[in-house]
Amino acid sequence: MESRYWFWIIPKPDRSFPRPWTDWVRLGLVLTLLVAAGAGFVFREPLHRAFSCNESWIPNGDAWRAGERCVGLSEGPYPFDVAAFNQVMGVIDRQNRSAADECPGTPATVGVLLTMTDELAGSRAVHELEGMAAGQRRANGTGCLHPMKLVVGQLGDYNSNGDPVGVARKLAGRDDVVAVAGIGLSHQSTAEVAEVLAAAKIPMVADVVTAEGFDQDGSLVDNPEFRSCDKDISYPRGIARDYFYRVAFRVAVQVKAIGAVVTTRPDFIMVPIGGSDPYTCTTLPFLQRQYGGNLLEVKFDTTEPSTVPQTAKRVCATAKDVTIAYIARGRDLGRLLYALDEAYANGQCAATSVTVVSTSDGNRLRTVESDPALEDLRTKALGSETFKDGRVRMLFTLVAGADGPQSINPHWTVFEQAYKDAGFDLEHVGDGWAVNAYDAVTTIDTALRSLPATMPVQRSQVNATISGFSAPDAAVPGAGGPIIFDNSGNRTGAGPQVVRLCPVSTSVDRPPYVPTVEARPGESVPQCVR
């Protein structure tokens, strides 16, 4: 019987013939994917850095991820994924590309280091970088000898989500950088950043560092105490010897200025728990010393907002005019003033008046907060009835030499014009950070203008020139007033003004930011103009 099934016998392929080219393409593609997957597994962190924190898909190693932040260097428009910096980084990019238009000499690259994102800086960091950009604009204008380019270093957050030392090392490795402006806040990481730059013999001009110890000899002339500070710190020995200068007034002279104006012994010192913040732990001993010691210290927890109103209740239990010395970061000041107003409104404050006195971080109250909750507290506090009628008053020292045009700072108009010409809002200059940032860059520019246009700029030349700004006839023409340095790199001369913060005026000619009125030694607390 004939079978109904047919079987096809498929012959084995003849290996003697070449394979079609398409087969080789498929094989190559498979191998490439396998290699890429293996590389991604082994080098997943470098790849993540390269493609998550760069302004293009072409990795260059200048920016990387540190926890939740993008950090590193940028001399273009890349804002490290922080939208608030889009405008100022765009301005710096344009100014870098046009730097040589009016400058015939050899170029000079200046690094600017700051934290764009740490909560201790808040939205003031935007103003700081705007001040630096305005300084660059002025530097590349009339009289320029060396076209200045800026490379921006984003340090990230302190304690976590940042890499300050890594960014400093990256910047120090660039041979074209001749000086650095900024370097960060009063923090142990800043001391470490300064040592990295000093090891590369890069002169640096800090703009908002005020804590004791943060100069070339550990503030020896002030006889500071560091017992309230953490033990694992290096700044009591000084930082970056021979290469560090700062334009902000240190806390020792700030406390002295406060003591000359507020002669009444404070009833309380409001101070945060812990000793990790140099701004606080180095100020506290000076304040105790200024008023004879044994001032009552009221502690609060900066990580627990509810402890601030508790402090307000304690203050309000005293039936007299009360003075509080607030020795902490300005982030919680709005909360304190609002809590005092609430206590008065609820009939729970026996104090006839409360005067809050702070060092320079009190300037933060003049700044719109990026955190909506903090901004709500700030605006409510400054618009409260008790703040308007003077039952609650706020005094603090300026962080800059001045916050507006006065006889002591004839170059303010130059700063203001450069700031406006760069496209920035003058409302941002009130907190002083833009002023000091501008002055830090202007200090470096003043040094550059003394060097031959036809010769390459050397770091050593810039450093030697800055160290020579040590007398009135060699002062830097700063926006906040003349800048003169002592042997330790501290700003010297007339100390900072003490001012009273005022409610926003309704007059037509009011300043574009929260106004102040100067409080002078030997006089009563001045009245605000209504």
Side-chain angles (χ1 to χ4, degrees):
M1 183 175 178
E2 186 177 358
S3 173
R4 298 180 181 180
Y5 301 98
W6 295 89
F7 294 90
W8 292 91
I9 301 175
I10 301 174
K12 294 183 178 180
D14 187 352
R15 303 296 184 186
S16 62
F17 292 97
R19 295 178 65 87
W21 69 270
T22 53
D23 290 347
W24 292 112
V25 170
R26 293 191 190 97
L27 180 61
L29 180 61
V30 171
L31 290 174
T32 299
L33 292 173
L34 289 173
V35 171
F41 179 78
V42 176
F43 302 109
R44 58 186 178 276
E45 181 60 22
L47 284 173
H48 181 61
R49 285 184 173 188
F51 291 104
S52 63
C53 288
N54 280 277
E55 56 188 318
S56 70
W57 284 103
I58 303 175
N60 57 22
D62 284 343
W64 61 92
R65 185 165 291 278
E68 298 177 0
R69 302 296 188 195
C70 286
V71 300
L73 306 180
S74 174
E75 51 192 318
Y78 175 61
F80 300 96
D81 294 346
V82 186
F85 287 86
N86 283 341
Q87 180 193 11
V88 63
M89 291 300 295
V91 170
I92 291 173
D93 175 48
R94 292 190 293 273
Q95 292 182 170
N96 281 345
R97 288 187 278 110
S98 64
D101 289 353
E102 296 185 39
C103 295
T106 56
T109 300
V110 174
V112 294
L113 291 179
L114 72 160
T115 168
M116 293 181 170
T117 48
D118 193 273
E119 62 180 2
L120 297 182
S123 59
R124 293 177 297 178
V126 177
H127 310 167
E128 181 182 14
L129 192 55
E130 288 176 348
M132 292 171 173
Q136 180 194 23
R137 186 178 187 87
R138 182 258 181 189
N140 289 337
T142 304
C144 173
L145 296 181
H146 298 278
M148 179 189 292
K149 294 185 177 182
L150 298 185
V151 54
V152 179
Q154 145 69 332
L155 302 172
D157 299 354
Y158 296 112
N159 300 322
S160 63
N161 298 321
D163 189 8
V165 174
V167 175
R169 289 194 182 114
K170 188 74 175 178
L171 186 65
R174 290 186 49 148
D175 293 334
D176 59 332
V177 173
V178 299
V180 169
I183 86 167
L185 310 180
S186 298
H187 193 276
Q188 170 60 29
S189 296
T190 300
E192 296 164 10
V193 164
E195 295 301 335
V196 169
L197 298 176
K201 298 184 177 181
I202 301 176
M204 63 208 83
V205 183
D207 54 352
V208 293
V209 174
T210 60
E212 290 293 296
F214 285 76
D215 55 25
Q216 296 184 33
D217 64 3
S219 304
L220 285 178
V221 69
D222 297 328
N223 190 25
E225 295 179 14
F226 300 99
R227 288 178 295 177
S228 300
C229 304
D230 285 351
K231 303 304 179 184
D232 55 341
I233 54 176
S234 61
Y235 52 85
R237 301 186 295 273
I239 64 174
R241 186 170 183 84
D242 297 328
Y243 295 96
F244 181 82
Y245 312 87
R246 56 177 169 177
V247 299
F249 291 103
R250 64 194 189 276
V251 295
V253 297
Q254 289 189 40
V255 171
K256 185 177 180 181
I258 289 172
V261 171
V262 183
T263 56
T264 302
R265 180 180 166 90
D267 299 282
F268 305 96
I269 299 180
M270 189 171 173
V271 61
I273 62 174
S276 61
D277 189 346
Y279 174 77
T280 294
C281 72
T282 67
T283 305
L284 181 59
F286 282 104
L287 197 75
Q288 287 280 11
R289 190 185 306 170
Q290 177 68 39
Y291 291 102
N294 296 319
L295 294 175
L296 182 61
E297 297 178 9
V298 178
K299 302 293 182 71
F300 74 102
D301 190 342
T302 57
T303 65
E304 182 46 66
S306 65
T307 59
V308 176
Q310 289 175 356
T311 299
K313 290 180 180 179
R314 184 173 180 181
V315 169
C316 280
T318 306
K320 69 182 195 69
D321 292 327
V322 177
T323 300
I324 307 173
Y326 179 92
I327 307 302
R329 297 285 180 171
R331 180 188 57 194
D332 294 303
L333 262 174
R335 193 184 307 276
L336 173 62
L337 299 183
Y338 177 67
L340 290 170
D341 179 71
E342 275 198 318
Y344 274 112
N346 296 331
Q348 297 174 344
C349 194
T352 51
S353 70
V354 179
T355 300
V356 182
V357 184
S358 173
T359 42
S360 58
D361 218 50
N363 287 275
R364 182 163 177 168
L365 283 173
R366 307 177 81 183
T367 301
V368 175
E369 292 281 359
S370 54
D371 183 327
L374 292 179
E375 177 58 12
D376 182 59
L377 289 168
R378 187 188 76 93
T379 54
K380 286 179 177 177
L382 299 187
S384 67
E385 286 303 315
T386 54
F387 194 72
K388 290 178 181 178
D389 65 27
R391 280 177 289 171
V392 176
R393 300 182 297 191
M394 180 75 220
L395 282 75
F396 52 79
T397 48
L398 296 180
V399 69
D403 64 352
Q406 301 176 27
S407 60
I408 63 171
N409 61 333
H411 297 280
W412 177 272
T413 54
V414 177
F415 155 70
E416 198 172 66
Q417 191 62 52
Y419 203 83
K420 289 191 295 187
D421 288 347
F424 304 136
D425 192 337
L426 279 178
E427 287 190 14
H428 295 175
V429 307
D431 57 42
W433 278 34
V435 180
N436 274 13
Y438 172 91
D439 282 353
V441 172
T442 298
T443 299
I444 296 170
D445 172 58
T446 304
L448 293 175
R449 290 178 181 235
S450 70
L451 302 178
T454 57
M455 301 293 291
V457 176
Q458 304 295 325
R459 296 171 177 175
S460 58
Q461 295 174 310
V462 178
N463 187 54
T465 305
I466 294 176
S467 69
F469 299 147
S470 57
D473 60 350
V476 176
I483 299 169
I484 303 169
F485 300 111
D486 63 17
N487 290 333
S488 300
N490 290 308
R491 184 172 183 170
T492 188
Q497 295 177 358
V498 177
V499 298
R500 177 183 176 181
L501 187 67
C502 295
V504 176
S505 172
T506 57
S507 63
V508 176
D509 58 346
R510 67 180 177 86
Y513 42 82
V514 180
T516 61
V517 58
E518 184 181 0
R520 297 184 176 90
E523 300 179 8
S524 59
V525 176
Q527 296 298 313
C528 291
V529 178
R530 296 192 178 185

